Amino acid sequence: MDTFPNYIDGAWVDSPDAIVNLDPSNLEVLGRYARADASAVGVAIAAARAAFPAWSTCPGEQRANILDAVGSRLLEQQQELGRLLSSEEGKTLKEGIGEVVRAGRIFKFFAGEALRPGGELLDSVRPGVRVEITREPAGVVGLLTPWNFPIAIPAWKIAPALAFGNCVVFKPAELVPGSAWMLAKLLHEAGIPRGVFNLLMGAGGEVGRAIVESPDVDAVSFTGSVGVGRGIALAAVGTGKRFQLEMGGKNPLVVLEDADLDLAVEVAVNGAFFSTGQRCTASSRLIVVEAVHDAFVERIIGRMAKLVTGPALAPDTDIGPVASAEQLGKNLEYLEIGRAEGAEVVGGNRPPLAQRGHYMKPALFLESSNEMRINREEVFGPLASVIRARDYDEALAIANDTPMGLSAGICTRSLARATHFKRHSQAGMVMVNLPTAGVDYHVPFGGRKASSHGPREQGSYARDFFTTVKTAYEAAG
Ligand code: UN1
C-alpha cells in the first residue's frame, strides 16, 4: 500500500515512519500516512518564513482565487470526501458530507474576507497629524486540529489564516490524516505558492511540540483538550507567540416546564448524541425542571431506543462508532464512574454487532447531581446526564456552575425566560430551542472560562487572531 506523503515547501515528502489510518466502523486499514518528525517541522517552518514576504503582500484577489477554488472543489467532491471523512472518523455519512459542505462554504466565505481586511483613517488629537489603522498578517502560524471534525476545523483555521496573508504549518490529529491530506491536495491543485501552506502529519508530542516551541512561528491556533491547550499556552508564552485555544465544553441544556417537550427531546438527542457525542459543543448536562422531569425522561428514553447505532456508511445509522479504542475505553470508564457516584445508567451497552468496530449505544445518567465527576469533566462520547432543578432560577445556577463556558441551551416557549437566559448564561454561545452543537460558519465561535482563550474563531471575527493591528501617524504638513 502506498504511503500518503506530507506536503512541505510545495513538494510531497515521504518519511520512514507511517501512521496507519483505521476505520472505526470495521477496524480495516484505510491508508498509510507519512509520520513527520521534528526535523521535517523545521524545514516546513523555514519554507513558510521564506514564502511570507511575497504571500503577505500579494493582492488579496490572488489569495481569494485560491480559497474560492478550494471551496468549489470541496463542494463538488462532497460525496467522495464525505465518505472518506466518515470512514476515518466514524460519524454518519450524512454528517460527513455535511461537514465537507461546511468546509467548502468556509473557504468561500474567507475568499471574500481576503478582500475585506478593514482599516481606519482618523484625525490625530494633534493638529496637522493623521492616523491610519491597518491590519497586517500575524506571520507564520501553526494550526493544530482535533480528530472530531477532520475537515471543518482545519478549514476554519486554514482559510482565514491564508485569507489574511499568513503562511501555514498545519498539523492534523493523528487519528484522521485522510481528510487533512485531501485538503492539502486541493490547496496544491489550486496553485498555493510553495511554502505558503505545509502539511505535517504526526504526533502531538513531537510535531505539535516542535511547532509550538519554535521561535520562528509567530502564532498558534489549537483546538483540543484543556490539558494540552494549557501546555501550549505555557510554551507559547515562553517563545513569545500569540495563541488561540478552543478546548472543552460541559454544555448545559435547560428544559423548562413551558417547553415543547417533543422539540426539547429532539434538541437534547441531537446535541447529546449526534456525531457520537464527540463535539466540544455537545449537550452533556440536561437540566430539567421538576415539573416536566419525569415526562422528559420517559420521552427521551423512548427516543433513544429508536436510535440505530451502526457503521458510519450504513444508510440507517443514526449513531456511528466511537472514533478510537482509546476513546471507547474512556467512555466505558465514565459509565462506571457515574454508576459508582450513584447515578442510574440507561443504555451505554455495546451492541452485539457481527462486525468489529468501536460501537456503544448512547447512554443517559439519571438522578445525577452537578457535583458528580460525570457532570464536571468532559467525556467526549455519547453520554449525557439528567440533572433535576426546582425551577428556572436553580436551573440557570446549575447551568453556570461549571469550569467550562462554551455553549449553553434552553428549551422554553417564554420570551422573557429565553431573553433572561441569553443575558445571564456564562457561555460564549447560547441557543434557544436549538441544540448546543451545530454552529454557523459566518459568525463568531468560542467560549469563556476554561473552554477558550484568545479571540473568537470564524466569521469576520477570525481577523482578530490572524492579523495584527498597526497604527501609523503622519504629519500631514
Ligand atoms: C459544532 O458544534 O458545529 O471540537 C462545531 C468541537 C468544536 C466544533 C463544534 N470545536 O466540537
Side-chain angles (χ1 to χ4, degrees):
M1 191 183 282
D2 287 341
T3 301
F4 293 91
N6 283 302
Y7 185 67
I8 301 169
D9 199 12
W12 296 102
V13 182
D14 212 344
S15 71
D17 201 8
I19 300 165
V20 178
N21 192 5
L22 287 184
D23 183 336
S25 293
N26 52 29
L27 310 190
E28 278 170 18
V29 176
L30 291 165
R32 292 166 58 82
Y33 291 79
R35 181 182 273 130
D37 58 15
S39 72
V41 176
V43 176
I45 293 170
R49 281 248 80 91
F52 184 70
W55 180 249
S56 58
T57 53
C58 80
E61 194 180 67
Q62 195 180 320
R63 301 195 292 266
N65 285 342
I66 293 173
L67 297 179
D68 189 58
V70 172
S72 297
R73 292 297 97 74
L74 287 166
L75 296 178
E76 281 160 25
Q77 297 174 26
Q78 56 183 267
Q79 298 291 334
E80 307 90 274
L81 293 176
R83 277 185 88 81
L84 169 65
L85 193 161
S86 292
S87 300
E88 68 176 351
E89 199 274 348
K91 62 181 69 178
T92 67
L93 185 56
K94 187 167 160 261
E95 290 168 338
I97 293 170
E99 191 185 326
V100 175
V101 170
R102 179 170 175 175
R105 303 254 181 252
I106 289 168
F107 269 88
K108 286 190 172 278
F109 177 86
F110 285 106
E113 288 294 280
L115 300 171
R116 288 188 287 265
E120 288 175 77
L121 187 61
L122 284 82
D123 282 331
S124 164
V125 293
R126 286 170 269 169
V129 174
R130 286 212 305 189
V131 187
E132 197 181 82
I133 303 166
T134 52
R135 287 182 181 264
E136 295 180 8
V140 171
V141 299
L143 307 179
L144 312 178
T145 59
W147 49 259
N148 62 329
F149 283 88
I151 208 157
I153 296 179
W156 82 52
K157 293 189 194 293
I158 293 166
L162 295 176
F164 297 116
N166 301 280
C167 290
V168 169
V169 178
F170 165 47
K171 190 204 91 65
E174 247 191 314
L175 206 56
V176 290
S179 304
W181 191 88
M182 286 304 297
L183 194 52
K185 180 167 174 275
L186 295 182
L187 278 155
H188 174 67
E189 287 167 1
I192 193 87
R194 61 180 279 200
V196 170
F197 170 84
N198 302 274
L199 167 74
L200 291 149
M201 300 172 286
E206 178 157 13
V207 174
R209 180 183 293 276
I211 294 171
V212 172
E213 290 181 351
S214 168
D216 289 327
V217 172
D218 301 291
V220 171
S221 178
F222 164 82
T223 299
S225 68
V226 174
V228 174
R230 294 208 166 144
I232 288 174
L234 290 176
V237 169
T239 49
K241 56 173 66 70
R242 63 166 68 187
F243 56 99
Q244 175 182 55
L245 310 172
E246 285 301 340
M247 301 172 284
K250 200 67 208 171
N251 310 296
L253 174 71
V254 170
V255 180
L256 294 186
E257 61 278 11
D258 61 4
D260 172 337
L261 267 200
D262 288 328
L263 176 73
V265 165
E266 284 314 307
V267 163
V269 163
N270 176 324
F273 304 132
F274 285 10
S275 296
T276 320
Q278 298 170 153
R279 296 186 283 190
C280 57
T281 45
S283 316
S284 52
R285 297 182 297 137
L286 311 177
I287 304 165
V288 186
V289 295
E290 196 63 63
V292 289
H293 176 276
D294 294 355
F296 175 84
V297 165
E298 192 190 317
R299 286 194 211 187
I300 194 169
I301 290 174
R303 181 71 181 86
M304 284 168 68
K306 295 200 188 85
L307 292 173
V308 177
T309 300
L313 301 184
D316 59 344
T317 295
D318 298 308
I319 310 291
V322 174
S324 68
E326 189 189 341
Q327 184 61 51
L328 178 63
K330 193 175 158 196
N331 296 349
L332 298 174
E333 202 180 310
Y334 269 104
L335 283 184
E336 293 317 312
I337 291 171
R339 269 198 195 100
E341 286 180 307
E344 185 189 321
V345 181
V346 175
N349 45 309
R350 303 204 54 202
L353 291 181
Q355 242 172 333
R356 297 192 307 157
H358 304 310
Y359 299 98
M360 78 175 278
K361 296 263 190 198
L364 192 65
F365 294 107
L366 302 179
E367 307 301 342
S368 78
S369 77
N370 200 44
E371 288 68 45
M372 293 178 174
R373 278 181 65 193
I374 50 166
N375 285 326
R376 304 215 73 84
E377 299 166 15
E378 185 175 50
V379 181
F380 225 64
L383 281 68
S385 318
V386 179
I387 304 173
R388 281 177 199 265
R390 265 192 320 276
D391 52 17
Y392 168 69
D393 290 338
E394 192 182 48
L396 175 66
I398 295 171
N400 285 335
D401 178 7
T402 167
M404 306 295 192
L406 188 57
S407 181
I410 188 166
C411 289
T412 178
R413 287 190 177 102
S414 159
L415 179 62
R417 287 280 168 71
T419 305
H420 190 273
F421 189 77
K422 281 191 284 179
R423 171 67 187 83
H424 295 280
S425 168
Q426 294 163 8
M429 297 175 292
V430 185
M431 314 292 184
V432 177
N433 295 321
L434 287 168
T436 54
V439 298
D440 288 3
Y441 58 85
H442 66 309
V443 289
F445 176 94
R448 298 184 184 178
K449 303 188 198 171
S451 289
S452 302
H453 182 94
R456 290 287 185 260
E457 301 196 80
Q458 303 203 66
S460 57
Y461 285 65
R463 176 193 302 145
D464 292 341
F465 181 73
F466 288 110
T467 62
T468 180
V469 170
K470 180 175 279 173
T471 312
Y473 295 79
E474 187 177 19

